[in-house]
C-alpha cells in the first residue's frame, strides 16, 4: 500500500478515478437527521397534549354557566380527537420504527399539513352566523406558527418547505370556505379568505430562509467531518483519546471506521510542540500501516485535518471486544482462551519483529468476531500509537499528547517505572489479558491507579484457579503466571515463543464448529463495531 500523505480535507487532490465526474452533493449527516427525528417525536407528543388541553379549556369556557362547568361534547371535538390520535400514532411510530431518518422527516412534513388541516377546520367550525360586508383584517394564525416551527426544528430542503408550506397555509382559507358552505359564516366576497390569511403565506418565505440556513449548517458539518477521502457517519465510541465514527469512502463502497484525536488532546503545547507531535504521529502511523498480519486491524489511511485533528481510517469489524465479551458472558474455557491468545501472539510477533511495541494490550483492544467465513477471529486494535524500540530516547505520540502509556491494570512493571520497554512488556500485558479471560477478574484489585501500579510492582498474583469458577489446566496456569513475572527475563522471550508454548499444551483445541455455535447462539449481541 502506497504511503498516504498528510492531507487536509480542503486541500486534498481529486482522485484520478473521479476526474471529470461531478462531486456528489453534500447532505445533512445521518446522526443529525436522527436527532431531528427525535425532535419530531417530542413535537408529536407535545402536540397531542396541547390538543387535549386546548379542547378541555374550550369546554370549560363554553360551560362557565353550566352546573357541571363543562359544555357537552361538540361536533368539532371529533377534529381534536383525530388530531390527538394522529399525533400519538406518529409519536409511537417514530419511537419504534427502524426506517431511515429522511423518511421520518418527510413523514413529519405530512404531519405538519395534517395539523394545519385540523387547525383550519376547528378554528372556523363555530363562527356566529353573520354577514360580513367589509374586508377582514389580516392575521397570523396558528398555522403560520406551525410552519415556522417545523422549518426550524425539522431540517428539510427549501423545495419541500415551499410545497408543504403552501398546502398548510391554504388550510385556513379552506376552513373558511367550508364554514360558509355549512352556513355558519358568511364572510362576504371569496377574496376575503386571502385578505385575512395572506400573512401565513408570507411566513412561508421566512420558513424557506430558515430551511436553507439549517440545510447549509448541516452541509457544513458534513464538510467538516470529511477526513481525506472518507466521510464520517455515526459515532461508534467515545474514549479518552477521542472518538470513533463509522465512515464511508467517497468513491468506494468499502465500510471503515475513523478514529479522531482532537487538537485539544495536544494539551497546552505551543505551535512548535504540536508540529513535532504531528510529525511523530505521521512516523508512527506509517509504521503501523506497514503491519500486515491478518490479526492486526488494517489501517487504510491516516492524516491531519486543517484544524490539526489527527485521524486513522481502519477496517470496520463485526463482533465485540474481549472486555465486552467477559462482562456479558463471564470467563471463557481454557481452549478458547488459548485460541484467542495464539492469534494475538501472531499480531504482536510481527510488530515486535519490526521493532514496535504496542504498550496498551488489554481486553478492550483485542476484538473477536467474524472475518469472511471464520468466527472467533482475533484483531488486535489501537496500533496507531505504538512506540518504536529504536526511538526509545524520545517520547511517543501517546506520551506527547498527555496520555500515560498503557493501562494500569495491564501495565508491566518496567513500563510503570519508566524503564526501557520491548516486546516482553506486551507479553506481560497479554498475560494479564489471559488471567482476565480465565477468571473474569483483574490480576490485582485496587482502589485507585497508584495502588494498582504498586501491586504490579511488588505483589505476586494469586493463581487463576483460586479465583475462577471453572477448571484451569495447571500447565496453562503456569504459563500465564510466567507471563506475569516481574523480571522481563523470566517471561517468554517472544510472542512466537509464547504461541508455541500455548499450542503444545495438552488441551483439546477450540474448533471452528464450537466458535460458530457460540456466535450463532449470541448473534443478537454481535454488532458492527470498532472498539
Amino acid at each position: 500500500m502506497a504511503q498516504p500523505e498528510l492531507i487536509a480535507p480542503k486541500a486534498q487532490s481529486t482522485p484520478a478515478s473521479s476526474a471529470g465526474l461531478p462531486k456528489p452533493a453534500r447532505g445533512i449527516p445521518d446522526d443529525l437527521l436522527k436527532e431531528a427525528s427525535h425532535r419530531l417525536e417530542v413535537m408529536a407528543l407535545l402536540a397531542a397534549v396541547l390538543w387535549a388541553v386546548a379542547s378541555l379549556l374550550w369546554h370549560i369556557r363554553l360551560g362557565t354557566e353550566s352546573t357541571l362547568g363543562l359544555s357537552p361534547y361538540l361536533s368539532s371535538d371529533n377534529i381534536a380527537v383525530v388530531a390527538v390520535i394522529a399525533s400519538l400514532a406518529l409519536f409511537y411510530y417514530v419511537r419504534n420504527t427502524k426506517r431511515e431518518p429522511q423518511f421520518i422527516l418527510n413523514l413529519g412534513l405530512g404531519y405538519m399539513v395534517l395539523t394545519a388541516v385540523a387547525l383550519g377546520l376547528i378554528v372556523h367550525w363555530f363562527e356566529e352566523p353573520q354577514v360580513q360586508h367589509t374586508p377582514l383584517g389580516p392575521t397570523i394564525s396558528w398555522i403560520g406558527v406551525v410552519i415556522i416551527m417545523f422549518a426550524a426544528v425539522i431540517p428539510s430542503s427549501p423545495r419541500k418547505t415551499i410545497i408543504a408550506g403552501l398546502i398548510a397555509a391554504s388550510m385556513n382559507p379552506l376552513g373558511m370556505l367550508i364554514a360558509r358552505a355549512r352556513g355558519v359564516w358568511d364572510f362576504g366576497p371569496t377574496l376575503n379568505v386571502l385578505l385575512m390569511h395572506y400573512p401565513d403565506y408570507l411566513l412561508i418565505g421566512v420558513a424557506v430562509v430558515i430551511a436553507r440556513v439549517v440545510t447549509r449548517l448541516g452541509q457544513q458539518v458534513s464538510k467538516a467531518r470529511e477526513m481525506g477521502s472518507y466521510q464520517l457517519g455515526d459515532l461508534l465510541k467515545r474514549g479518552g483519546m477521542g472518538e470513533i465514527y463509522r465512515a464511508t469512502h467517497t468513491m468506494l463502497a468499502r465500510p471503515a471506521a475513523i478514529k479522531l484525536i482532537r487538537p485539544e488532546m495536544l494539551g497546552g503545547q505551543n505551535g512548535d510542540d504540536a508540529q513535532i507531535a504531528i510529525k511523530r504521529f505521521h512516523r508512527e502511523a506509517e509504521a503501523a500501516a506497514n503491519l500486515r498480519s491478518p490479526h492486526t486491524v488494517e489501517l487504510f489511511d491516516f492524516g491531519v485535518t486543517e484544524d490539526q485533528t489527527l485521524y486513522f481510517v481502519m477496517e470496520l469489524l463485526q463482533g465485540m471486544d474481549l472486555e465486552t465479551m467477559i462482562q456479558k458472558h463471564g470467563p471463557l474455557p481454557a481452549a478458547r482462551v488459548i485460541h484467542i491468545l495464539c492469534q494475538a501472539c501472531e499480531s504482536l510477533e510481527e510488530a515486535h519483529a519490526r521493532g514496535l511495541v504496542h504498550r496498551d494490550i488489554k481486553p478492550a483492544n483485542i476484538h473477536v468476531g467474524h472475518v469472511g467465513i471464520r468466527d472467533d477471529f482475533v484483531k488486535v486494535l489501537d496500533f496507531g500509537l505504538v512506540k518504536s524500540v529504536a526511538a526509545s530516547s524520545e517520547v511517543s505520540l501517546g506520551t506527547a499528547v498527555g496520555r500515560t502509556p498503557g493501562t494500569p491494570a495491564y501495565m508491566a512493571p518496567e513500563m510503570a517505572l519508566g524503564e526501557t520497554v520491548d516486546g516482553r512488556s506486551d507479553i506481560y500485558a497479554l498475560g494479564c489479558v489471559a488471567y482476565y479471560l480465565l477468571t473474569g477478574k483483574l490480576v490485582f484489585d485496587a482502589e485507585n491507579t497508584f495502588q494498582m501500579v504498586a501491586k504490579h510492582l511488588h505483589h505476586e498474583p494469586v493463581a487463576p484457579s483460586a479465583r475462577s469458577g471453572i477448571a484451569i489446566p495447571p500447565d496453562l496456569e503456569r504459563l500465564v503466571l510466567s507471563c506475569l513475572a516481574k523480571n522481563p527475563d523470566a517471561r517468554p522471550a517472544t510472542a512466537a515463543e509464547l504461541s508455541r508454548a500455548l499450542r503444545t499444551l495438552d488441551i483439546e483445541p477450540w474448533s471452528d464448529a464450537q466458535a460458530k455455535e457460540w456466535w450463532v447462539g449470541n448473534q443478537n449481541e454481535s454488532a458492527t463495531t470498532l472498539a
Side-chain angles (χ1 to χ4, degrees), residues 191-261:
L191 182 63
N192 282 342
V193 300
L194 295 179
L195 294 177
M196 182 175 181
H197 292 295
Y198 75 82
D200 287 343
Y201 289 96
L202 296 181
L203 288 180
I204 296 174
V206 178
V208 170
V209 173
I210 294 174
R212 186 178 295 276
V213 169
V214 171
T215 300
R216 284 183 176 177
L217 287 175
Q219 291 171 342
Q220 288 174 7
V221 171
S222 179
K223 182 179 181 180
R225 288 181 173 183
E226 289 182 359
M227 299 292 155
S229 298
Y230 290 85
Q231 177 70 41
L232 265 64
D234 297 339
L235 176 67
L236 297 177
K237 185 177 180 180
R238 179 175 283 110
M241 288 295 292
E243 302 92 33
I244 299 179
Y245 291 85
R246 186 188 303 271
T248 54
H249 194 280
T250 55
M251 299 300 297
L252 306 175
R254 178 175 59 183
I258 288 185
K259 182 171 185 176
L260 305 182
I261 302 176

Side-chain angles (χ1 to χ4, degrees), residues 463-493:
S465 57
R467 304 182 65 192
S468 177
I470 61 175
I472 299 177
D475 290 344
L476 176 59
E477 182 173 77
R478 283 192 291 271
L479 184 56
V480 171
L481 291 175
S482 72
C483 293
L484 298 176
K486 307 298 181 190
N487 185 350
D489 293 335
R491 302 171 201 157

Side-chain angles (χ1 to χ4, degrees), residues 408-475:
Y410 301 89
M411 189 181 295
E414 64 272 18
M415 185 180 294
L417 292 172
E419 298 175 352
T420 302
V421 300
D422 56 25
R424 292 172 296 180
S425 298
D426 285 343
I427 291 176
Y428 182 94
L430 194 59
C432 294
V433 171
Y435 194 103
Y436 182 71
L437 298 183
L438 291 168
T439 65
K441 300 177 178 65
L442 298 176
V443 177
F444 298 111
D445 295 321
E447 295 181 0
N448 54 57
T449 299
F450 297 106
Q451 289 184 10
M452 179 65 74
V453 171
K455 288 187 176 182
H456 276 283
L457 287 172
H458 306 295
H459 291 214
E460 292 298 327
V462 176
S465 57
R467 304 182 65 192
S468 177
I470 61 175
I472 299 177
D475 290 344

Side-chain angles (χ1 to χ4, degrees), residues 291-298 315 317 339-340 342-348 350 365-367 371 374 376-381 383 503:
L291 297 176
R292 290 293 181 267
S293 169
H295 297 293
T296 298
V297 65
E298 186 175 357
E315 62 179 314
L317 302 178
H339 179 73
I340 291 171
C342 286
Q343 295 179 75
C345 282
E346 183 177 330
S347 172
L348 293 176
E350 182 196 16
N365 277 340
I366 300 178
H367 189 279
V371 173
R374 293 189 56 186
D376 263 7
F377 197 92
V378 168
K379 291 278 188 176
V380 178
L381 311 177
F383 264 99
R503 295 180 190 279

